[in-house]
Amino acid sequence: MRFGYVFFLSLILYQSGGAQGAFDVIPLGVKGGSDESNLSAYAVAVSGTQRYVCLDAGTIHAGAQRAIDLGLWKNSPTEAIRKNIKGYLISHPHLDHVAGLILNSPDDTSKIIYGLPFCLDVLKEKYFTWKNWANFTNEGEKPFLNKYRYNALHPGVETPLEQTAMTVKAFYLSHSNPGKSTAFLIGHNDAYLLYLGDTGADEIEKSDYLDQLWREVKPLVVSKMLKAIFIEVSFPNEQPEALLFGHLTPTLLMREMHKLNLLTNEKLKKFPIVITHMKPFGDAEERIKQQLKLCNDLDLELIFASQGKILHF
């Protein structure tokens, strides 16, 4: 009788899409340019809940519609955005990472925008201004509409994500040095996800930000508390180094993964790596996928996310 109850409960949880891991992630947008309906935005929540924060916000409305079409969210896209998304974490202020936040702001509800100061300053000075749009926030050009509230993160300091059970730590990345981006380490109890905004390789960026990040997450990989890494591969290997503009190729990604693997005493076998920000020029996406598979000598679990299709970690 006990076995039958457990089996029945497990079946219900599986069918409902909950309790399959520590986190649920709905990719609201996955691409790195051109297709304005599918730009970087990943909604993450504690598994089985509907209290999401959005990691970047390039596309929101079209992604919410896709999530509704797949039965993950309810009502209209606007209502889903208002009710399900509890805050935004912005890695850097390029348009393909903030356009959805800005365009949906008139119909959104009160929320927090989290980011490192360099990123929030651009939102204050360039986007949420009365000459450019309207200031829906609590700082910057007056008058303030006070819909959104800025929360400036301090690097490496754990910060609660309001209206959720999750926390975040932010770390600097180099994005076309001296340009900056951000990595967000999302935590819940003893489980973590690592999301990287746009980033170049240390060797090209003349930086050590990725090396610092790998050393930070090393113990989480070794202890199996880190459940996945979301990291960009924008271009195929044929892209000239001078035209990378602070992005990765399959070869550059694998070099970074080898560094992390060495630090963790070769703990990356079958580790989930979600590939983000592929730029959809011609057959570039297919070439990136093929090249990643060919150079995956660490036997990583490569995941190519689709808009609206939920991921469990």
Side-chain angles (χ1 to χ4, degrees), residues 177-306:
N177 200 0
K180 297 289 190 294
S181 184
T182 312
F184 295 115
L185 182 65
I186 304 297
H188 172 63
N189 292 336
D190 292 328
Y192 296 86
L193 286 181
L194 180 63
Y195 172 86
L196 286 76
D198 293 358
T199 183
D202 281 351
E203 63 187 90
I204 293 175
E205 296 287 304
K206 309 305 179 187
S207 164
D208 67 347
Y209 284 139
L210 282 176
D211 181 69
Q212 291 182 41
L213 182 62
W214 303 147
R215 293 181 185 278
E216 179 73 25
V217 301
K218 167 189 171 180
L220 302 180
V221 175
V222 172
S223 64
K224 299 185 178 181
M225 291 193 290
L226 187 64
K227 304 304 179 183
I229 295 174
F230 289 65
I231 187 167
E232 68 125 285
V233 180
S234 294
F235 297 108
N237 289 329
E238 293 82 4
Q239 187 78 359
E241 183 176 308
L243 298 178
L244 286 176
F245 305 116
H247 293 294
L248 295 175
T249 64
T251 294
L252 291 173
L253 171 67
M254 287 303 170
R255 288 179 188 171
E256 294 298 331
M257 292 297 96
H258 272 276
K259 295 176 186 177
L260 180 57
N261 192 54
L262 184 62
L263 283 172
T264 59
N265 295 317
E266 302 184 352
K267 299 294 185 182
L268 288 189
K269 184 175 182 178
K270 300 300 182 184
F271 189 88
I273 303 292
V274 182
I275 304 302
T276 69
H277 206 264
M278 290 188 292
K279 291 184 177 292
F281 303 133
D283 65 345
E285 288 182 86
E286 286 307 312
R287 282 189 286 144
I288 290 170
K289 291 177 181 179
Q290 291 170 6
Q291 291 169 3
L292 281 169
K293 292 173 183 176
L294 285 173
C295 66
N296 184 18
D297 56 346
L298 295 178
D299 197 20
L300 304 168
E301 182 188 352
L302 298 175
I303 298 171
F304 302 99
S306 298

Side-chain angles (χ1 to χ4, degrees), residues 5-311:
Y5 171 78
V6 172
F7 175 80
F8 177 75
L9 179 60
S10 300
L11 181 62
I12 293 296
L13 290 171
Y14 174 80
Q15 291 176 336
S16 66
Q20 296 185 49
F23 300 100
D24 293 340
V25 181
I26 301 177
L28 301 180
V30 302
K31 297 183 185 293
S34 298
D35 184 355
E36 66 271 17
S37 70
N38 195 0
L39 298 172
S40 296
Y42 295 84
V44 56
V46 174
S47 183
T49 75
Q50 290 292 316
R51 293 180 172 272
Y52 290 84
V53 292
C54 207
L55 299 165
D56 280 330
T59 293
I60 301 297
H61 191 277
Q65 181 63 66
R66 183 64 177 150
I68 292 167
D69 293 342
L70 294 175
L72 300 172
W73 286 352
K74 298 179 180 179
N75 303 315
S76 67
T78 298
E79 283 302 303
I81 293 167
R82 289 167 62 90
K83 293 180 179 179
N84 294 74
I85 298 175
K86 305 302 181 183
Y88 299 96
L89 289 87
I90 306 300
S91 67
H92 65 294
H94 288 170
L95 274 172
D96 57 331
H97 294 257
V98 300
L101 165 62
I102 295 165
L103 292 173
N104 285 279
S105 57
D107 297 321
D108 205 352
T109 51
S110 178
K111 286 165 188 170
I112 296 178
I113 302 174
Y114 301 88
L116 289 172
F118 82 90
C119 179
L120 299 187
D121 285 347
V122 176
L123 292 176
K124 294 174 194 177
E125 297 167 8
K126 303 298 182 182
Y127 293 134
F128 286 118
T129 71
W130 288 98
K131 289 182 179 179
N132 185 47
W133 189 244
N135 189 1
F136 287 99
T137 77
N138 64 328
E139 297 180 38
E141 187 178 341
K142 295 181 179 179
F144 312 143
L145 296 182
N146 290 305
K147 177 176 288 188
Y148 295 135
R149 177 162 53 92
Y150 291 118
N151 188 327
L153 301 174
H154 300 282
V157 176
E158 189 171 58
T159 301
L161 294 169
E162 293 190 17
Q163 299 188 64
T164 81
M166 298 178 289
T167 61
V168 65
K169 283 185 182 181
F171 304 92
Y172 280 110
L173 297 173
S174 183
H175 182 32
S176 195
N177 200 0
K180 297 289 190 294
S181 184
T182 312
F184 295 115
L185 182 65
I186 304 297
H188 172 63
N189 292 336
D190 292 328
Y192 296 86
L193 286 181
L194 180 63
Y195 172 86
L196 286 76
D198 293 358
T199 183
D202 281 351
E203 63 187 90
I204 293 175
E205 296 287 304
K206 309 305 179 187
S207 164
D208 67 347
Y209 284 139
L210 282 176
D211 181 69
Q212 291 182 41
L213 182 62
W214 303 147
R215 293 181 185 278
E216 179 73 25
V217 301
K218 167 189 171 180
L220 302 180
V221 175
V222 172
S223 64
K224 299 185 178 181
M225 291 193 290
L226 187 64
K227 304 304 179 183
I229 295 174
F230 289 65
I231 187 167
E232 68 125 285
V233 180
S234 294
F235 297 108
N237 289 329
E238 293 82 4
Q239 187 78 359
E241 183 176 308
L243 298 178
L244 286 176
F245 305 116
H247 293 294
L248 295 175
T249 64
T251 294
L252 291 173
L253 171 67
M254 287 303 170
R255 288 179 188 171
E256 294 298 331
M257 292 297 96
H258 272 276
K259 295 176 186 177
L260 180 57
N261 192 54
L262 184 62
L263 283 172
T264 59
N265 295 317
E266 302 184 352
K267 299 294 185 182
L268 288 189
K269 184 175 182 178
K270 300 300 182 184
F271 189 88
I273 303 292
V274 182
I275 304 302
T276 69
H277 206 264
M278 290 188 292
K279 291 184 177 292
F281 303 133
D283 65 345
E285 288 182 86
E286 286 307 312
R287 282 189 286 144
I288 290 170
K289 291 177 181 179
Q290 291 170 6
Q291 291 169 3
L292 281 169
K293 292 173 183 176
L294 285 173
C295 66
N296 184 18
D297 56 346
L298 295 178
D299 197 20
L300 304 168
E301 182 188 352
L302 298 175
I303 298 171
F304 302 99
S306 298
Q307 187 178 45
K309 187 176 180 180
I310 195 165
L311 302 170

